[in-house]
C-alpha cells in the first residue's frame, strides 16, 4: 500500500507531505483547519456564482409556493415555502460537555432540516429546487406558463400530461433520490432513481409506492451516479440531476442562509464581529453542505466559520480539499473503504465543483466515527426529544472537535476569536431523519444506548 501510486505520488509521499494523512488513512478522527481559508472579500472574487444567483433561486421558489402549498398540504402553514425550524439545544450541550469532558463556550443550536416538509432531509432544498427549475424551463419554453402566472395551475391534468413526456434521472445514496423522486412524480414526470448499495430499504419502498422506478446497485454512490448519467445521455427527453456538478442544486441549498438570517433575528441570536457563528455541516458529495456554506458566507461574511463533517470511513471532501486534488482522487485510492452507517455521507469521491468553489471560503473539515453518531443519536433523543438519522448527527460533534483538537484551538487563535468564543453560536446542521420509520429509528436508538452505556 505504501508504494501505491496515487496522482503521481506514493502513499508514503502523500503522508509525508500531509502528516494528517496518517490518521485519515487509519480512519482515526481528525480535525483539519484549511490553510487556504481567506478573507471573504478576497475569496469571493474567485467564485463565479453570486448573491444575485441565490436571489434568483429564492424568487423561483416563491413563484412555486402556491403550487407547493396546494399539492403538499404540510407546507400550508408556511405558505408553500419549505423551511425548517432552528432550536437552541442547551440540554444537549450540557450532556455533550459531560460526555466528552469538554466545555463548549457559547451556545449550541440545531438547524432541523431533518424536519423539512416533503422529504425530511436537506435534499428537500436543492433536490426539489432543481426539479422545479427544470419543470419551469420546460413549461415556459413550450408556452404553457409565464413568470406572472399563479403557479398553482401546474396542479392540473394538462401539466401532468405535458410533463409525462419527459423523464428525470438521478444517482443517490437515498435522500436525494427521495426528494427528486417525490417531487418529479408529483409533477407528472417519469422518474428513474439509481440507488447505491447504501440506500435503506424503506427509502426504496417509499419511492416505488409513488410510481418511481428504482434501480439498485451493489456498488457505491459514484457508480449509481455514473449509471444515471449514462441513461440520461441516451435519451434527449431525459434530464439528469447531476449531484456532482449541478449549480442548480447548489443554489437551491444556498437559499437556506438568507432564511436563517431572519430566523436568528427572531430568536435574538446576534452574529457580528464580537459574536462569531460556527456552523457544522454533514458532508457527502458536498452539494448540500457546500451550497449552505456558500450562502452563509454571502450573508455573514467573515463572521461565520463553516466546517464540513464526514465519517472516518468516507472523508472524500477532506482529502480532496487538503491535497488540492478534489475529484481527481477518491478515498478508496488511499485504502479507505467508504463503508459507513451514515448512509447519507457514504461518498468516496467529492464534487470537484464544490471543493473548488469553497477552496478559500470553508474553514475546515473533521471526521467522526460511526459509533459516535449512534451515541449522539440516542443522547439527542433523550435530552431534546429530537430524532435524527445517523448521518445528521455528524454536525453535533463539531464543537467538541473544535475545542478539543489542537488544530481547532489554533484556528481560534489564528482568527483572533479567543476572547469572543463565550459569545459564539454553534449551529449543528441536522440534515435528515423525520421520515425514518419508527422501527428503524428504534434500532438506531438502541444501538446508541448500548454504545453509550459501555
Ligand atoms: C445528502 C445528505 C448529506 C450531505 O449532502 P451532500 O450534498 O451529499 O454533501 C448530509 N446528510 C444527509 C442526511 C444527507 O442525506
Amino acid at each position: 500500500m505504501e508504494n501505491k501510486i496515487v496522482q503521481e505520488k506514493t502513499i508514503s509521499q502523500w503522508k509525508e507531505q500531509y502528516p494528517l494523512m496518517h490518521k485519515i488513512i487509519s480512519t482515526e478522527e481528525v480535525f483539519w483547519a484549511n490553510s487556504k481559508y481567506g478573507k471573504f472579500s478576497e475569496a469571493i472574487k474567485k467564485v463565479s456564482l453570486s448573491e444575485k444567483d441565490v436571489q434568483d433561486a429564492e424568487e423561483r421558489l416563491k413563484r412555486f409556493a402556491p403550487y407547493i402549498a396546494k399539492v403538499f398540504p404540510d407546507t400550508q402553514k408556511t405558505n408553500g415555502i419549505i423551511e425548517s425550524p432552528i432550536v437552541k439545544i442547551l440540554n444537549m450541550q450540557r450532556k455533550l460537555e459531560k460526555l466528552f469532558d469538554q466545555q463548549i463556550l457559547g451556545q449550541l443550536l440545531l438547524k432541523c432540516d431533518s424536519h423539512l416538509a416533503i422529504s425530511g432531509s436537506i435534499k428537500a432544498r436543492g433536490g426539489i429546487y432543481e426539479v422545479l427549475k427544470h419543470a419551469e424551463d420546460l413549461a415556459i419554453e413550450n408556452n404553457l406558463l409565464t413568470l406572472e402566472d399563479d403557479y398553482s395551475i401546474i396542479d392540473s391534468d394538462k401539466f401532468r400530461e405535458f410533463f409525462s413526456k419527459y423523464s428525470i434521472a438521478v444517482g443517490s445514496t437515498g435522500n436525494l433520490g427521495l426528494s427528486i423522486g417525490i417531487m418529479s412524480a408529483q409533477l407528472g414526470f417519469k422518474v428513474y432513481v439509481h440507488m447505491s448499495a447504501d440506500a435503506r430499504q424503506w427509502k426504496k419502498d417509499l419511492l416505488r409506492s409513488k410510481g418511481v422506478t428504482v434501480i439498485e446497485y451493489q456498488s457505491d454512490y459514484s457508480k449509481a451516479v455514473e449509471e444515471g448519467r449514462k441513461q440520461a445521455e441516451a435519451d434527449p427527453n431525459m434530464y439528469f440531476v447531476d449531484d456532482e456538478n449541478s449549480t442548480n442544486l447548489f443554489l437551491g441549498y444556498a437559499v437556506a442562509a438568507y432564511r436563517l438570517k431572519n430566523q436568528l433575528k427572531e430568536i435574538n441570536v446576534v452574529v457580528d464581529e464580537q459574536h462569531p457563528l460556527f456552523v457544522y455541516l454533514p458532508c457527502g458529495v458536498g452539494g448540500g453542505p457546500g451550497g449552505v456554506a456558500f450562502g452563509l458566507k454571502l450573508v455573514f461574511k467573515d463572521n461565520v466559520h463553516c466546517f464540513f463533517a464526514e465519517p472516518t470511513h468516507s472523508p472524500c471532501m477532506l482529502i480532496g480539499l487538503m491535497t488540492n486534488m478534489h475529484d481527481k482522487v477518491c478515498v478508496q485510492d488511499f485504502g479507505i473503504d467508504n463503508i459507513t452507517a451514515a448512509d447519507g455521507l457514504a461518498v468516496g469521491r467529492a464534487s470537484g465543483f464544490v471543493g473548488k468553489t469553497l477552496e478559500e471560503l470553508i474553514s475546515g473539515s473533521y471526521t467522526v466515527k460511526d459509533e459516535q453518531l449512534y451515541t449522539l443519536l440516542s443522547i439527542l433523543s433523550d435530552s431534546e426529544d429530537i430524532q435524527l438519522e445517523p448521518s445528521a448527527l455528524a454536525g453535533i460533534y463539531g464543537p467538541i472537535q473544535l475545542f478539543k483538537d489542537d488544530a481547532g484551538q489554533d484556528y481560534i487563535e489564528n482568527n483572533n476569536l479567543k476572547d469572543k468564543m463565550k459569545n459564539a453560536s454553534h449551529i449543528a446542521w441536522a440534515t435528515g431523519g423525520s421520515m425514518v420509520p419508527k422501527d428503524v429509528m428504534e434500532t438506531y436508538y438502541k444501538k446508541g444506548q448500548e454504545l453509550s452505556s459501555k
Side-chain angles (χ1 to χ4, degrees):
M1 191 69 205
E2 294 297 303
N3 295 323
K4 184 185 170 191
I5 307 280
V6 179
Q7 292 293 319
E8 292 166 20
K9 282 189 195 123
T10 64
I11 300 281
S12 302
Q13 285 169 325
W14 281 116
K15 286 180 174 172
E16 203 171 306
Q17 188 175 359
Y18 300 100
L20 203 62
M21 267 301 190
H22 285 274
K23 280 190 166 181
I24 296 173
I25 290 174
S26 6
T27 64
E28 287 173 55
E29 290 183 346
V30 298
F31 182 96
W32 172 75
N34 179 11
S35 59
K36 293 205 196 80
Y37 177 64
K39 263 202 122 29
F40 174 79
S41 54
E42 287 304 311
I44 198 68
K45 285 184 195 157
K46 294 171 196 157
V47 179
S48 59
L49 295 168
S50 72
E51 190 158 4
K52 203 178 149 294
D53 298 308
V54 186
Q55 275 163 2
D56 179 56
E58 175 70 311
E59 289 307 315
R60 183 164 292 105
L61 289 169
K62 281 187 189 148
R63 288 198 291 278
F64 272 98
Y67 168 73
I68 295 289
K70 194 165 171 210
V71 297
F72 298 110
D74 279 358
T75 65
Q76 273 168 14
K77 50 186 181 299
T78 50
N79 298 316
I81 294 295
I82 305 163
E83 194 45 73
S84 71
I86 182 159
V87 290
K88 294 183 184 178
I89 47 169
L90 285 174
N91 294 331
M92 182 65 182
Q93 185 171 354
R94 297 288 100 82
K95 285 247 177 133
L96 278 174
E97 290 178 324
K98 229 166 131 184
L99 181 67
F100 294 101
D101 191 23
Q102 174 63 57
Q103 192 187 9
I104 298 170
L105 293 169
Q107 61 178 344
L108 181 60
L109 299 103
L110 192 71
K111 178 62 174 159
C112 304
D113 275 9
S114 44
H115 292 70
L116 279 173
I118 303 176
S119 68
S121 82
I122 188 170
K123 308 297 193 308
R125 298 184 185 279
I128 287 176
Y129 172 73
E130 176 145 8
V131 173
L132 294 178
K133 169 140 191 350
H134 179 58
E136 186 185 56
D137 289 346
L138 284 175
I140 289 177
E141 261 168 46
N142 289 275
N143 302 315
L144 287 169
L145 188 73
T146 70
L147 295 181
E148 289 71 37
D149 283 333
D150 174 342
Y151 279 25
S152 60
I153 59 170
I154 294 171
D155 180 33
S156 61
D157 287 341
K158 179 175 148 197
F159 275 87
R160 278 185 287 272
E161 207 169 291
F162 169 68
F163 290 131
S164 73
K165 291 183 283 187
Y166 300 89
S167 46
I168 292 183
V170 66
S172 171
T173 61
N175 284 339
L176 184 63
L178 217 51
S179 274
I180 301 283
I182 294 171
M183 191 66 247
S184 308
Q186 181 66 48
L187 283 157
F189 286 109
K190 286 200 218 47
V191 206
Y192 300 87
V193 175
H194 299 255
M195 288 285 206
S196 71
D198 312 279
R200 297 293 152 105
Q201 192 58 44
W202 66 266
K203 294 181 184 174
K204 297 183 258 191
D205 295 342
L206 180 62
L207 281 175
R208 288 191 173 121
S209 78
K210 299 200 182 280
V212 172
T213 305
V214 178
I215 304 138
E216 300 176 64
Y217 298 92
Q218 290 312 311
S219 333
D220 82 353
Y221 163 87
S222 302
K223 168 84 177 168
V225 172
E226 188 190 319
E227 290 298 322
R229 186 179 283 127
K230 237 190 255 167
Q231 186 195 15
E233 271 166 8
D235 179 350
N237 282 337
M238 188 177 295
Y239 180 81
F240 177 60
V241 177
D242 188 347
D243 200 15
E244 292 177 325
N245 300 294
S246 166
T247 50
N248 288 326
L249 276 174
F250 190 81
L251 292 170
Y253 290 119
V255 166
Y258 291 83
R259 307 214 185 128
L260 181 73
K261 183 185 176 187
N262 295 330
Q263 288 184 319
L264 290 177
K265 227 182 241 159
E266 278 164 25
I267 56 170
N268 300 315
V269 172
V270 178
V271 181
D272 59 22
E273 214 189 323
Q274 294 307 317
H275 300 78
L277 175 64
F278 289 77
V279 184
Y280 310 95
L281 299 143
C283 181
V285 72
V292 171
F294 177 67
L296 288 168
K297 293 305 285 187
L298 289 173
V299 172
F300 298 111
K301 306 189 167 62
D302 294 322
N303 299 325
V304 69
H305 308 269
C306 302
F307 293 88
F308 288 143
E310 292 176 298
T312 48
H313 284 254
S314 310
C316 63
M317 186 57 85
L318 166 57
I319 291 179
L321 285 168
M322 186 174 78
T323 62
N324 221 9
M325 286 289 140
H326 300 293
D327 55 350
K328 290 203 200 79
V329 294
C330 64
V331 301
Q332 289 92 339
D333 288 342
F334 296 91
I336 305 168
D337 61 14
N338 189 30
I339 293 175
T340 170
D343 47 321
L345 314 181
V347 176
R349 189 185 299 274
S351 159
F353 152 66
V354 173
K356 284 170 210 160
T357 301
L358 292 178
E359 205 153 36
E360 298 178 18
L361 292 168
I362 196 81
S363 292
S365 191
Y366 62 86
T367 57
V368 48
K369 282 191 194 299
D370 282 9
E371 296 88 77
Q372 302 281 27
L373 300 177
Y374 283 115
T375 303
L376 295 170
L377 185 150
S378 68
I379 295 175
L380 182 71
S381 180
D382 289 342
S383 61
E384 307 281 349
D385 195 22
I386 298 172
Q387 287 77 33
L388 305 181
E389 61 185 274
S391 301
L393 277 304
I396 293 198
Y397 198 51
I400 297 297
Q401 285 278 51
L402 177 72
F403 286 110
K404 239 190 165 64
D405 200 285
D406 289 342
Q409 286 305 309
D410 289 347
Y411 180 87
I412 291 172
E413 295 252 348
N414 296 340
N415 288 281
N416 279 320
L417 293 164
K418 210 167 167 124
D419 55 330
K420 300 169 191 162
M421 291 312 288
K422 61 177 187 306
N423 306 326
S425 295
H426 304 268
I427 298 180
W429 212 276
T431 45
S434 64
M435 287 180 78
V436 177
K438 254 203 160 85
D439 57 322
V440 178
M441 187 57 80
E442 190 64 17
T443 56
Y444 291 159
Y445 175 82
K446 287 214 172 102
K447 193 156 186 177
Q449 260 192 331
E450 274 163 34
L451 286 163
S452 54
S453 62
K454 266 186 196 153

